[in-house]
Amino acid sequence: MLVNPTRGFLWSDSETRALLNIWGEQDVQTALDGNFRNSHVYRDVASRLGDMGYDRTPDQCRIRVKSLKRQYYQAKDAFKKNNGQYRKLCKFYEEMERILGSRPTVDPQDMIDSVAVGDEMMDGTEEEGEGTEQSSDSYMPSAIDYTEHPVKIEYPSYTIPVTVGSVPVKPINSQPRTAPSTSSSCRPSRRGRKRLASLPLDKLLERFLEQSADAEDNFYKMEEQRLQQEERRREAEHARELHMLHVLGQIFGGMAGGSGRGGAAAAAAASANVSTATPMQSAPSPAHTSVHVAPASSSWSQIRTQHARQQQQQHQHQRGTLSPLGHHLTDHGLESVPVIERSFSLGGSAHNMENTLQLVKKIIPPLTSKKHKGQDGRIGIIGGCQEYTGAPYFAAISALKVGADLSHVFCTKDAATVIKSYSPELIVHPVLDSPNAVEEIEKWLPRLHTLVVGPGLGREELLLKTAKDVIEKSKARDIPIVIDADGLWLVAKQPSVIQGYQKGILTPNHMEFSRLYEAMHQEPLDSTDHHRNAQQLSIAMGNLTVVLKGEEDLITDGNMVLTCSQEGSGRRCGGQGDLLSGSLGAFAHWAYSTSTDATKSVNPSLVAAFGAASLTRQCNRQAFHKHGRSTTTTDMIQEISTAFKKLFES
């Protein structure tokens, strides 16, 4: 029989209340919600208890919380039945009601964890120190709560046989999908409960964990199949759009087919769906006219107008031939004919997107066993204060999920413990508000490949001054710098901090962009031409790369403009920009560490920004398909792996 190291340790009332005060904090509850691997959270809870003078292990804290939750739900159920003895079931009912009052009566996580801690629960030692006033006839709960509650369980059906001595007990069945909990008819007698109290649970727990692992594997397999089916459906829709364009091209060619060789040339150009989009396209000149066909929105009146324009030019150049650029060669020189440009409402120029995605694929380092830790990226995040702890976490964990090896977060002392509790993978430095913050951070700069400044930084003068000095130190070391959120507030106030630094990348949303534009041009923003505005801001900042986030992400360095039209969703949640800036930190390191041949002489910052923007939008799209309106940044981060594989490894 396995020995439970937590049995026999009684909790005092003051110790229990200290535990509930820590466990009930918002950051701890957020870290626990929906996360079955929560051992790191209870390690932090135990550590904080230790700071208060109570020496408890993480397992003791976790089991104590489970026991209190069980008592609370039993007391709440008794309260609903107008049982006046409900407070005797839970001594800390008020404290638990404050924390769990707004939650469902039964937590699926409690149902799974109840087996793991059932031995301790049935031991009854925890209640000895705090419930001595209960009579011997008081209700003694067993390892399984038999109260009838509808519980949604996402595991396939399986049966675990249990035998107590020579008396067989009805098997415990795990029901697929939605099923009610075990009915009262399966509830063992008082004598059976006493026997269960001494039953070893090692074999039962081992079997349960095996079944849970198999169920989880099956879930991921079914999810992968669903994504594949969704991808095939989207490809079929894409093929239908292409077919529609092809049919429209043939219609145009057939309507103009009787007009000589010029009509045949126009029909060939239309049926081929020639795309003439370039990364930076100025207004069309009289020598080159582009006719844009949008099958989802073009009206027949527009089609008739385009056809009339074609016929007029074809009659004028009946003996001309079509050159590769879509011009007629006539006796009078080079003149233009309409060229149908292929475009889609969901993706902009498909040719443009695909070419840029190919450049992004070339900068991604391959995974080999010959590499050492840190070679694929060590990213530093400057941000995180008492009010904002989620933003630096989202940025740092996104960099790791994309493929960076290490993420460092330089935050204030108030934020350090909270950010550590979110994930043990992050390296957290609580130095941002210390008197020698710049010196402390500067010691780490030789080890960092990219710096992300701004997520959760806040706008205190001391923190902004520290960020400014760190940016200056990083520029001296030629480190790529991504500036987002409150870092953009600093740039709007003091543009010289990053102006002219070619490895600087700004990622403003519409409001932040307006503030930067007005600070640089001293005039209101004209919102009618986003391409021109983004290009002008980049030039004013010394040809920095600017990523203007919006319905379509515009990426420019003043010389070239890229449009990222990867399909996302209508859901905009807080933290989505942090995912972009964190992943951009990893992409920027890869882009600047690869050869110039890989990017074909395109600015590496443009390639990196395009990759990060495409990945963020794809994560948003996949998460929205699963969660709809309730999509959050945490849901998007969980999609990074499949989105990265779909965009860059397929």
Side-chain angles (χ1 to χ4, degrees):
M1 175 178 176
L2 293 178
V3 179
N4 189 341
T6 64
R7 294 177 60 178
F9 289 87
L10 301 182
W11 287 69
S12 65
D13 291 353
S14 60
E15 193 175 9
T16 300
R17 288 190 174 90
L19 172 66
L20 289 177
N21 289 336
I22 297 173
W23 178 73
E25 291 181 5
Q26 183 63 37
D27 59 321
V28 176
Q29 290 297 309
T30 302
L32 288 172
D33 283 347
N35 187 3
F36 290 105
R37 297 181 178 87
N38 52 26
S39 58
H40 64 282
V41 181
Y42 283 102
R43 284 198 298 270
D44 180 66
V45 172
S47 175
R48 293 163 70 174
L49 269 178
D51 294 339
M52 300 174 65
Y54 302 112
D55 186 14
R56 290 290 178 177
T57 67
D59 283 341
Q60 289 175 335
C61 296
R62 175 177 58 81
I63 293 173
R64 181 58 170 158
V65 167
K66 294 297 179 184
S67 177
L68 291 170
K69 289 173 70 175
R70 174 176 52 82
Q71 296 173 27
Y72 165 74
Y73 286 129
Q74 290 171 356
K76 194 168 186 177
D77 184 67
F79 176 74
K80 292 180 179 178
K81 296 177 181 178
N82 296 322
N83 186 345
Q85 302 298 322
Y86 75 96
R87 289 186 178 271
K88 292 185 179 181
L89 297 177
C90 182
K91 186 175 184 179
F92 302 95
Y93 184 88
E94 287 77 8
E95 290 84 348
M96 298 298 292
E97 178 67 14
R98 175 177 55 84
I99 301 172
L100 302 177
S102 61
R103 298 195 171 199
T105 305
V106 174
D107 191 345
Q109 175 67 36
D110 296 338
M111 296 294 292
I112 293 175
D113 287 345
S114 62
V115 176
V117 299
D119 190 22
E120 195 279 335
M121 287 179 178
M122 291 183 292
D123 183 64
T125 56
E126 289 195 79
E127 285 72 30
E128 292 174 1
E130 58 190 61
T132 55
E133 72 277 11
Q134 296 185 16
S135 66
S136 60
D137 294 332
S138 298
Y139 174 71
M140 177 62 68
S142 63
I144 303 177
D145 184 4
Y146 293 96
T147 306
E148 293 187 279
H149 296 291
V151 180
K152 186 175 182 181
I153 304 177
E154 298 291 344
Y155 297 102
S157 177
Y158 61 90
T159 302
I160 303 176
V162 181
T163 302
V164 183
S166 61
V167 180
V169 180
K170 191 167 184 177
I172 302 174
N173 294 326
S174 172
Q175 302 296 334
R177 299 301 176 187
T178 303
S181 59
T182 307
S183 64
S184 58
S185 62
C186 298
R187 182 180 301 171
S189 64
R190 183 179 300 277
R191 183 178 179 182
R193 291 200 299 270
K194 292 181 179 179
R195 291 184 178 181
L196 285 175
S198 60
L199 179 68
L201 293 177
D202 51 349
K203 298 297 182 182
L204 178 62
L205 177 59
E206 181 181 356
R207 178 68 180 274
F208 180 81
L209 293 178
E210 290 177 357
Q211 296 289 345
S212 299
D214 293 341
E216 186 175 1
D217 292 339
N218 292 334
F219 169 76
Y220 285 121
K221 290 179 181 178
M222 290 187 292
E223 184 66 16
E224 184 177 358
Q225 293 176 358
R226 188 189 68 80
L227 292 175
Q228 291 175 354
Q229 294 175 356
E230 182 70 15
E231 179 63 23
R232 287 194 292 268
R233 183 189 64 79
R234 288 194 295 267
E235 291 177 354
E237 292 179 354
H238 184 69
R240 285 195 293 270
E241 289 183 349
L242 288 176
H243 179 69
M244 183 184 298
L245 283 173
H246 183 73
V247 171
L248 286 175
Q250 290 180 337
I251 291 175
F252 288 153
M255 295 171 67
S259 302
R261 296 177 62 186
S271 62
N273 296 304
V274 180
S275 175
T276 59
T278 59
M280 175 183 175
Q281 184 173 2
S282 59
S285 64
H288 189 192
T289 304
S290 176
V291 179
H292 180 74
V293 177
S297 59
S298 296
S299 63
W300 281 109
S301 61
Q302 293 173 325
I303 295 177
R304 287 195 298 269
T305 303
Q306 295 167 358
H307 172 61
R309 188 184 306 166
Q310 281 184 322
Q311 279 193 324
Q312 182 180 2
Q313 294 187 358
Q314 289 163 2
H315 284 305
Q316 294 175 354
H317 310 287
Q318 289 183 356
R319 296 185 179 182
T321 58
L322 188 65
S323 71
L325 294 178
H327 297 90
H328 274 304
L329 298 175
T330 66
D331 296 336
H332 303 287
L334 185 66
E335 297 190 19
S336 63
V337 296
V339 178
I340 297 179
E341 177 186 346
R342 182 177 60 189
S343 181
F344 308 99
S345 59
L346 298 182
S349 174
H351 174 75
N352 212 16
M353 287 278 293
E354 183 62 29
N355 286 349
T356 312
L357 283 176
Q358 292 300 325
L359 296 181
V360 178
K361 292 179 181 180
K362 292 181 179 180
I363 69 171
I364 298 175
L367 298 176
T368 67
S369 58
K370 297 180 181 180
K371 290 185 177 180
H372 58 79
K373 181 177 67 176
Q375 189 172 346
D376 281 344
R378 298 185 292 270
I379 313 302
I381 311 296
I382 306 296
C385 59
Q386 183 177 10
E387 293 82 5
Y388 308 111
T389 58
Y393 161 73
F394 286 143
I397 201 67
S398 297
L400 287 180
K401 293 284 188 179
V402 166
D405 293 337
L406 297 170
S407 278
H408 296 258
V409 178
F410 300 90
C411 61
T412 64
K413 293 179 181 178
D414 295 334
T417 302
V418 180
I419 297 175
K420 283 182 179 179
S421 70
Y422 293 155
S423 174
E425 287 88 359
L426 307 183
I427 305 172
V428 182
H429 307 269
V431 299
L432 195 57
D433 55 348
S434 61
N436 58 338
V438 178
E439 290 77 9
E440 290 293 330
I441 299 175
E442 186 179 9
K443 293 189 299 186
W444 289 91
L445 291 182
R447 308 184 190 183
L448 301 180
H449 293 128
T450 310
L451 201 68
V452 180
V453 181
L457 178 63
R459 297 179 182 179
E460 293 185 13
E461 291 298 330
L462 176 62
L463 300 182
L464 293 177
K465 183 179 183 304
T466 299
K468 175 185 176 183
D469 294 340
V470 172
I471 291 174
E472 295 293 344
K473 300 290 184 181
S474 303
K475 287 162 56 179
R477 291 185 173 275
D478 200 34
I479 299 176
I481 303 174
V482 179
I483 300 183
D484 186 32
D486 293 323
L488 295 172
W489 172 272
L490 171 63
V491 174
K493 297 297 182 182
Q494 304 179 51
S496 60
V497 70
I498 196 67
Q499 190 172 15
Y501 185 60
Q502 297 303 304
K503 291 187 178 181
I505 306 175
L506 309 180
T507 60
N509 56 28
H510 177 74
M511 184 62 66
E512 294 162 342
F513 181 84
S514 301
R515 188 184 300 120
L516 287 170
Y517 186 92
E518 293 173 4
M520 296 302 298
H521 294 86
Q522 304 300 321
E523 62 180 19
L525 175 67
D526 180 12
S527 59
T528 59
D529 192 345
H530 297 302
H531 287 75
R532 175 179 172 274
N533 294 335
Q535 190 176 2
Q536 285 185 344
L537 178 60
S538 175
I539 295 173
M541 292 297 299
N543 290 98
L544 261 69
T545 299
V546 175
V547 182
L548 175 54
K549 297 176 288 189
E551 183 179 2
E552 293 182 337
D553 294 336
L554 299 180
I555 307 167
T556 178
D557 60 354
N559 299 317
M560 179 180 291
V561 179
L562 297 177
T563 301
C564 180
S565 302
Q566 185 73 29
E567 181 183 2
S569 76
R571 172 64 171 151
R572 296 292 183 269
C573 51
Q576 184 171 338
D578 303 312
L579 192 159
L580 171 65
S581 61
S583 59
L584 180 51
F587 277 105
H589 165 58
W590 297 342
Y592 278 102
S593 60
T594 191
S595 62
T596 55
D597 294 337
T599 59
K600 296 183 179 179
S601 300
V602 178
N603 187 342
S605 293
L606 289 179
V607 179
F610 191 89
S614 300
L615 179 66
T616 303
R617 299 172 75 91
Q618 181 67 22
C619 290
N620 181 269
R621 176 188 182 187
Q622 292 181 189
F624 186 78
H625 276 301
K626 293 182 180 180
H627 305 282
R629 186 176 293 274
S630 65
T631 300
T632 62
T633 302
T634 302
D635 302 322
M636 294 173 56
I637 290 175
Q638 294 174 356
E639 299 296 327
I640 289 179
S641 176
T642 55
F644 191 96
K645 183 177 181 180
K646 172 181 173 58
L647 290 175
F648 310 123
E649 295 179 347
S650 60

